[in-house]
Amino acid sequence: MYKGIAFFDLDHTLYNEHTRVDAEVADAMHQLKANNILPVISTGRNLFEIPDTMKKTGIDTVVYANGSYVIFEGKPVYKALLDKSVVKTFVDFAKSNHEATTVMNSQGAKINFINDIVRGNYNFINSRMPNLGVDDFIEHQEVIMMLINTKGPDERYIDRFADTLTFFRNTPFSMDIVHKGSSKKKGIQELIANANLSGIPTYAFGDGNNDIPMLDFVDHPVVMENGLPHVKEYAEFITTKNTDHGIVNGLKHFGLL
């Protein structure tokens, strides 16, 4: 039985400014395991984007795609797929607004066209742009998550698809899109239920909009000093910046290291 569970967002939280895990952070993750604390990555990213992160940290429990897919100790325990008809309707609507859609699952991603907003988005998140091929992807693969490459207005999409999709604005260039009701909180709840982890103290580290449901749910929410101002309102403790030992300082604050 674990003594605690610690959930970690990646971008601007567990990651440094180069979208990498610093050595001291990787060491802290291994020390958590040695202390019988379960470290969990909780991210808007998908599994195919983070194999190096998992290897370096030794973390094999992940809540990803904003809670739409969950693995516990390397094995899937929950997923919420997007309906293909909804995906096709969304892609067509976004295209009519001259905005590109990325579709994703655990294995990879495709995009339907590339423009300056797409370039800005993938540069912002330090990721390589996907190859073209959205229609074939939708036809032959599961879709766990979409990403709309847009600077707004967000309501154009949120209002149109309020009954079927949930949106998270995480960069100036894009919104994450998941199954209606999906969130990091939902994914964490499914992890706890399906892996028999109830009754264990929970901690979470985050900085952005998609972290709010997670921070609002756990016993001990921690927000990075570099987090968004309104996200800090959910914090029990505000640690230092992700580039200034924030993870280690936060863990030490709660006696987890």
Side-chain angles (χ1 to χ4, degrees):
M1 175 68 73
Y2 291 104
K3 295 190 298 183
I5 312 171
F7 298 93
F8 300 95
D9 174 52
L10 290 180
D11 293 277
H12 312 296
T13 301
L14 202 71
Y15 282 160
N16 60 24
E17 71 273 28
H18 304 296
T19 320
R20 298 289 184 269
V21 177
D22 287 329
E24 72 162 12
V25 173
D27 290 344
M29 298 301 104
H30 289 284
Q31 187 60 51
L32 285 178
K33 281 194 167 183
N35 294 344
N36 208 27
I37 305 296
L38 176 65
V40 182
I41 292 171
S42 183
T43 180
R45 291 180 179 264
N46 282 266
L47 202 63
F48 74 92
E49 300 177 86
I50 62 171
D52 292 342
T53 300
M54 295 173 66
K55 182 178 180 180
K56 187 170 184 178
T57 60
I59 295 176
D60 59 3
T61 299
V62 185
V63 175
Y64 61 96
N66 292 301
S68 296
Y69 209 113
V70 180
I71 60 172
F72 173 61
E73 297 180 342
K75 298 179 181 180
V77 295
Y78 171 77
K79 65 179 176 180
L81 301 179
L82 291 175
D83 182 88
K84 289 182 183 291
S85 64
V86 174
V87 173
K88 290 177 182 178
T89 300
F90 182 89
V91 170
D92 289 343
F93 179 70
K95 190 174 182 180
S96 73
N97 293 316
H98 309 290
E99 294 183 321
T101 305
T102 306
V103 292
M104 291 169 275
N105 60 26
S106 301
Q107 286 75 46
K110 297 291 184 181
I111 196 166
N112 55 342
F113 62 89
I114 295 170
N115 58 18
D116 287 343
I117 295 177
V118 172
R119 294 184 186 94
N121 180 47
Y122 283 91
N123 181 64
F124 186 88
I125 62 176
N126 290 322
S127 291
R128 182 167 29 175
M129 287 186 292
N131 292 328
L132 301 177
V134 163
D135 292 342
D136 185 71
F137 190 101
I138 296 171
E139 187 68 27
H140 296 104
Q141 298 197 47
E142 296 178 340
V143 181
I144 296 172
M145 177 175 144
M146 294 187 287
L147 186 150
I148 177 66
N149 298 270
T150 179
K151 292 183 178 180
D154 298 352
E155 291 74 21
R156 172 168 54 192
Y157 296 104
I158 295 172
D159 294 346
R160 173 74 178 267
F161 294 92
D163 293 336
T164 53
L165 300 171
T166 292
F167 296 79
F168 296 103
R169 166 67 73 172
N170 287 323
T171 83
F173 303 95
S174 65
M175 287 192 293
D176 292 353
I177 308 164
V178 290
H179 188 276
K180 180 68 176 179
S182 287
S183 68
K184 292 186 179 185
K185 172 185 175 179
K186 174 63 174 175
I188 290 170
Q189 288 175 319
E190 293 291 344
L191 171 65
I192 290 172
N194 290 299
N196 297 315
L197 296 172
S198 60
I200 302 172
T202 53
Y203 307 79
F205 290 70
D207 73 292
N209 290 319
N210 65 337
D211 296 317
I212 289 175
M214 170 177 72
L215 295 167
D216 194 41
F217 175 73
V218 298
D219 300 316
H220 304 289
V222 182
V223 176
M224 317 305 288
E225 184 182 329
N226 52 281
L228 297 174
H230 65 277
V231 177
K232 292 179 181 178
E233 297 174 8
Y234 292 85
E236 175 182 340
F237 177 69
I238 298 175
T239 189
T240 51
K241 293 180 180 179
N242 64 316
T243 55
D244 185 26
H245 317 288
I247 293 295
V248 171
N249 289 339
L251 292 170
K252 287 182 176 178
H253 174 80
F254 289 101
L256 300 179
L257 291 181

